[in-house]
Amino acid sequence: MRSVPPQPLVDLGLLARRLLHAAGDALLPGWALAWQRSMGIASTQVMAAMADLGVADALAHKKSTAAQMAPRVGADADSLHRLLRAAAVHGLVRLDRRGRFGLTRTGRALRSDAPATLAPWARYLGLKSTRDAWGGLADSVRTGAPAFSRVHGSTVWDWFAEHPEEERLFATAMRSLTEFDGPSLLSSDLWPEQGTVCDVAGGAGTLLAAVLAARPGLRGTLVEAPGVLMQAEANLRSKGLADRVELVEGDLLGTIEARADVYVLKNILHDWDDETCARILASVAATMPARSRLLLVEQLQEPNRPHPFASITDLQMLTQCEGGRERSAAELRGLLAAAGLTPGRIDRTGASALVEGVAG
Ligand SMILES: C[S@@+](CC[C@H](N)C(=O)[O-])C[C@H]1O[C@@H](n2cnc3c(N)ncnc32)[C@H](O)[C@@H]1O
């Protein structure tokens, strides 16, 4: 398993990076910095195009010119050179004087065989449906209303149900993010050693699989929508864990029936407004036996402290989800208490925190 740097060290690294960036920025006029930020769309699309074409895989073992690579990835050689030259500006590849490209440490994250590949996430961000919802950001800020349903006429979840290939891509992207987050989450002692862990809306079962693999005394239950459960079954089977996990079709916004010692809601509440979070938590609380525990896994966003990850995903939630947002520790504890659960410990393990609620 990947070793996890302690959280204070990561925080220190992020602070050092911010200070170094600020020092470098001080050398340039504000206009130039603002222009560069305005082209952020290029950064997202360059990564999405690289992932779509499989460029990182083509560069996995040796440097290559665009002309050598073009037939392999099905691209026009000149356009591929221009794409990758821009990718070099973003630090994804290096370009040498002979026109050969090589992957950097950052670019390696786009390889499909990277331990937690970012290729599906990059492709998901590049989808027309995702981009069009981001395009509604200014209107969302004017009205406070989510962009996705306004732009597409349905919530992102209904959209996925009608576009199974996008649903699969999103579930795969979430799986990679969980694979990256998993080791730091698992380092928490809030996980039990014995009993049953139920991951509610647990995607393809990536977190559950990691928890069960690390704690042989545990069994699991996965509650999900039917399309995602099929992916989960294949995923759990491939990891030899299918016989330790019960798959339960369930509706977050309806009734959930699953008996467990510890329940998990990972990256779920940030998809929804407070009212819907209250409904979800009420459904989970209703099935929780006395003294069982719920672990919320969420990024923490304090109101007046910009965070390099959470403040950006907060806008991802504003544009893609129905009232979704990143919340502070106090806001999450407030939601738990309103659902009749006693707020317990908070463990900041990495990019995300575990926030505990105990059933009475
Ligand atoms: C942001 S993803 C998080 C997945 C997983 N917990 C993770 O962190 O990787 C949200 C999940 O909620 C599921 N979901 C959305 N609406 C649902 C509903 N009404 N009932 C059950 N699951 C739902 C989706 O299928 C998706 O897997």
Side-chain angles (χ1 to χ4, degrees):
M1 191 195 290
R2 181 168 67 84
S3 64
V4 191
Q7 189 54 34
L9 205 62
V10 176
D11 289 342
L12 205 64
L14 288 171
L15 175 67
R17 191 179 67 165
R18 188 151 59 86
L19 294 174
L20 287 170
H21 275 175
D25 284 357
L27 302 173
L28 294 169
W31 186 93
L33 295 171
W35 181 84
Q36 210 175 18
R37 308 272 196 279
S38 75
M39 294 294 290
I41 188 169
S43 161
T44 302
Q45 292 306 125
V46 164
M47 280 184 83
M50 281 180 69
D52 264 344
L53 293 164
V55 169
D57 287 344
L59 287 175
H61 302 296
K62 68 177 178 65
K63 290 180 177 181
S64 183
T65 65
Q68 289 163 335
M69 232 185 313
R72 262 191 294 156
V73 301
D76 168 70
D78 176 56
S79 304
L80 182 61
H81 183 84
R82 292 162 67 189
L83 172 78
L84 295 182
R85 190 174 54 197
V89 175
H90 293 137
L92 296 164
V93 292
R94 248 177 244 104
L95 173 57
D96 69 18
R97 293 287 164 89
R98 293 160 60 188
R100 295 177 310 174
F101 294 97
L103 276 185
T104 60
R105 194 170 75 96
T106 314
R108 282 204 290 274
L110 287 176
R111 276 175 59 169
S112 57
D113 62 351
T117 173
L118 269 184
W121 175 250
R123 290 182 57 221
Y124 156 71
L125 284 180
L127 287 178
K128 185 174 177 336
S129 59
T130 314
R131 277 187 285 121
D132 286 353
W134 265 101
L137 176 61
D139 276 338
S140 285
V141 172
R142 272 188 204 101
T143 60
F148 196 98
S149 48
R150 196 178 57 249
V151 171
H152 296 295
S154 73
T155 69
V156 69
W157 309 116
D158 291 340
W159 175 272
F160 281 156
E162 285 158 22
H163 298 83
E165 71 297 344
E166 293 193 16
E167 182 181 58
R168 269 194 301 279
L169 178 61
F170 177 74
T172 312
M174 291 305 299
R175 204 163 129 181
S176 307
L177 298 188
T178 304
E179 260 156 28
F180 180 77
D181 246 6
S184 42
L185 290 174
L186 289 184
S187 66
S188 172
D189 63 1
L190 284 169
W191 300 102
E193 296 295 335
Q194 301 291 330
T196 303
V197 171
C198 173
D199 196 351
V200 181
T206 311
L207 178 65
L208 195 56
V211 172
L212 297 196
R215 290 170 170 78
L218 284 177
R219 295 191 61 79
T221 304
L222 180 72
V223 178
E224 254 296 348
V228 181
L229 275 185
M230 273 161 53
Q231 243 195 74
E233 189 175 15
N235 180 34
L236 292 164
R237 194 171 303 288
S238 75
K239 292 177 174 157
L241 291 165
D243 57 345
R244 283 170 64 196
V245 181
E246 188 186 354
L247 300 177
V248 177
E249 201 176 309
D251 184 357
L252 267 182
L253 307 174
T255 308
I256 294 168
E257 280 177 33
R259 236 186 133 67
D261 302 284
V262 170
Y263 294 77
V264 186
L265 280 170
K266 175 175 173 293
N267 288 347
I268 299 300
L269 296 191
H270 78 166
D271 289 345
W272 304 97
D273 59 21
D274 286 356
E275 205 174 291
T276 313
C277 287
R279 269 176 72 192
I280 293 169
L281 288 173
S283 306
V284 177
T287 199
M288 288 174 71
R291 284 184 299 286
S292 63
R293 296 179 293 125
L294 169 61
L295 301 177
L296 303 177
V297 182
E298 295 282 344
Q299 296 193 72
L300 298 183
Q301 171 63 78
E302 300 306 322
N304 299 320
R305 199 179 305 159
H307 186 281
F309 307 137
S311 304
I312 307 302
T313 54
D314 183 51
L315 294 186
Q316 169 78 5
M317 299 309 140
L318 176 61
T319 54
Q320 310 297 319
C321 295
E322 299 304 292
R325 64 187 307 134
E326 304 295 0
R327 293 180 172 85
S328 67
E331 286 167 334
L332 290 171
R333 287 165 70 91
L335 287 171
L336 287 171
L341 300 171
T342 306
R345 282 169 50 200
I346 295 185
D347 198 350
R348 270 198 71 205
T349 57
S352 303
L354 292 159
V355 181
E356 183 187 44
V358 184

